[in-house]
Amino acid sequence: MNARVCCSLIAVLLCLSVCLSTTDAKKHVRGKRNARLSPAKPGVCPDDKDMIGACVEKCFGDRECPDDQKCCSNGCGHQCMPPYTEKPGVCPKMNLKDCAQLCSQDGQCPGDQKCCSNKCGHRCVPPYKEKPGVCPKMNPKDCAQSCSLDDDCLNDQKCCSSGCGRQCMSPYKEKPGVCPVSFAGVKGRCAEELCVSDFDCPGNEKCCSSFCGGRMCTPAT
């Protein structure tokens, strides 16, 4: 009798266990479906191409994530991440051998720093800043392409365009003084480019434009 009662109780407990498991599974599936069907938050998930995250489903939809975070792929599973944000500026050129993936998008970097590639990994670095100074006038027929940014050039040289190519040049520097009126607005040889900058001229002479478009060296006033 006791054995029969025990068997009956065990059978009842097993049935309850199966029912509860089935109910939990249904709730879990329903929760996943509702999360995936819920409206997505604004923004775009960062590219998971270079990510190697945990293969765990930590979220199923944006509504499960705090604030403006979205439920994004980490390369294997899903987790809450800030949406992709691109900050203004251009990444500098880097040739480091450090292959660490320290960021995946600009939004993960402090201040104005950007998430930049060093040809092996990604890290937060300040954006590229153009060197001070002005490019000199160049020969428009020079189509050599030896640089793309000021960072490609040594010291204070800038990457200057000729309208056809780009090459490193020392920035234009102006000598003190003022071009005389006779060259700036009245007299002068037309259509002759006898200089490009003040430093093409000897002593204290400056490279001055004539009224009709030429440029030549003349003493400053």
Side-chain angles (χ1 to χ4, degrees), residues 9 19 83 105 107 170:
L9 288 172
C19 288
Q105 56 132 332
S170 295

Side-chain angles (χ1 to χ4, degrees), residues 70-91:
K70 296 175 65 67
C71 184
C72 302
S73 169
N74 60 14
C76 185
H78 285 80
Q79 66 186 73
C80 294
M81 300 181 189
Y84 173 76
T85 304
E86 185 171 4
K87 295 179 183 177
V90 179
C91 282

Side-chain angles (χ1 to χ4, degrees), residues 45-68:
C45 282
D47 190 353
D48 64 351
K49 181 177 63 175
D50 297 319
M51 295 186 195
I52 304 176
C55 297
V56 178
E57 297 296 330
K58 295 183 178 179
C59 61
F60 297 100
D62 288 358
R63 77 170 187 176
E64 296 180 339
C65 300
D67 302 324
D68 64 343

Side-chain angles (χ1 to χ4, degrees), residues 8-171:
S8 299
L9 288 172
I10 291 171
V12 170
L13 291 173
L14 287 172
C15 286
L16 285 172
S17 176
V18 171
C19 288
L20 289 173
S21 297
T22 303
T23 303
D24 289 341
K26 287 181 179 179
K27 286 182 179 178
H28 184 64
V29 171
R30 193 180 303 118
K32 287 200 296 183
R33 185 173 63 250
N34 291 339
R36 285 171 176 159
L37 292 176
S38 63
K41 293 179 182 177
V44 179
C45 282
D47 190 353
D48 64 351
K49 181 177 63 175
D50 297 319
M51 295 186 195
I52 304 176
C55 297
V56 178
E57 297 296 330
K58 295 183 178 179
C59 61
F60 297 100
D62 288 358
R63 77 170 187 176
E64 296 180 339
C65 300
D67 302 324
D68 64 343
Q69 292 189 11
K70 296 175 65 67
C71 184
C72 302
S73 169
N74 60 14
C76 185
H78 285 80
Q79 66 186 73
C80 294
M81 300 181 189
Y84 173 76
T85 304
E86 185 171 4
K87 295 179 183 177
V90 179
C91 282
K93 290 192 173 181
M94 300 186 294
N95 289 302
L96 304 177
K97 293 183 179 179
D98 182 3
C99 295
Q101 291 289 347
L102 303 180
C103 62
S104 60
Q105 56 132 332
D106 290 357
Q108 297 171 336
C109 300
D112 64 346
Q113 291 189 6
K114 295 176 65 67
C115 183
C116 299
S117 169
N118 60 10
K119 297 186 178 179
C120 182
H122 285 80
R123 60 174 55 242
C124 295
V125 294
Y128 159 79
K129 291 184 179 178
E130 187 176 343
K131 292 179 183 177
V134 178
C135 282
K137 187 174 181 180
M138 297 170 59
N139 184 347
K141 295 181 180 179
D142 187 353
C143 296
Q145 187 76 32
S146 58
C147 63
S148 56
L149 297 172
D150 286 0
D151 278 353
D152 298 329
C153 302
L154 298 174
N155 302 323
D156 65 343
Q157 288 189 340
K158 295 175 63 66
C159 184
C160 300
S161 171
S162 66
C164 177
R166 299 184 71 87
Q167 56 183 299
C168 294
M169 302 283 290
S170 295

